[in-house]
Amino acid sequence: MMKREGMDTNGVKIVQPEEGMTIPTSTNLIFSRLDGTTPYNITVQTSNDFLMPDDVTDEDLEGAAVLHFGGIALNKRFIEGAGSVIERAHAKNVRVGWDTVIDVHGLEKSEQAQEAMRKLDYFTPSMGEAPKITGLENPEENLSYFSQT
């Protein structure tokens, strides 16, 4: 369908499920309310769970300007390898961004995730997500925390 609609599908990998297994895509609903709360409706055990760090190949990174992660905290295996993906992207002069989206498993608090975050060119946690990752409430302290190398 994507090709039929004229979309560039370079770098799109199709994973075939095991016999008798289906891999649904996810429908994630994020509601930003005026009172500052952000309730989520997240579908787990979907295609996000099957993205592995090695799926982002050096060939995919060739000629790319930006690699952007979104919702990777739904996948422990990807979080564990995010730092190596960022390093490979930087070696190809690719800028890397990460939108935290939601961390239902608390993976963004892990040492591996925190180290990877400090390597990013762009990082976009919300004002509500940053304190959950750092344990700090003050926005300036959060900025300083994420800026440490």
Side-chain angles (χ1 to χ4, degrees), residues 28-84:
N28 302 322
L29 305 174
I30 304 170
F31 305 95
S32 295
R33 294 185 176 154
L34 293 176
D35 67 1
T37 61
T38 309
Y40 298 91
N41 178 351
I42 301 295
T43 305
V44 294
Q45 295 190 345
T46 63
S47 55
N48 282 340
D49 297 311
F50 291 88
L51 178 65
M52 296 297 117
D54 291 343
D55 289 334
V56 181
T57 67
D58 288 344
E59 184 179 281
D60 295 329
L61 296 170
E62 284 294 331
V66 176
L67 173 64
H68 185 77
F69 301 141
I72 63 171
L74 298 172
N75 181 333
K76 181 179 181 182
R77 292 168 293 187
F78 198 90
I79 283 282
E80 290 171 349
S84 67

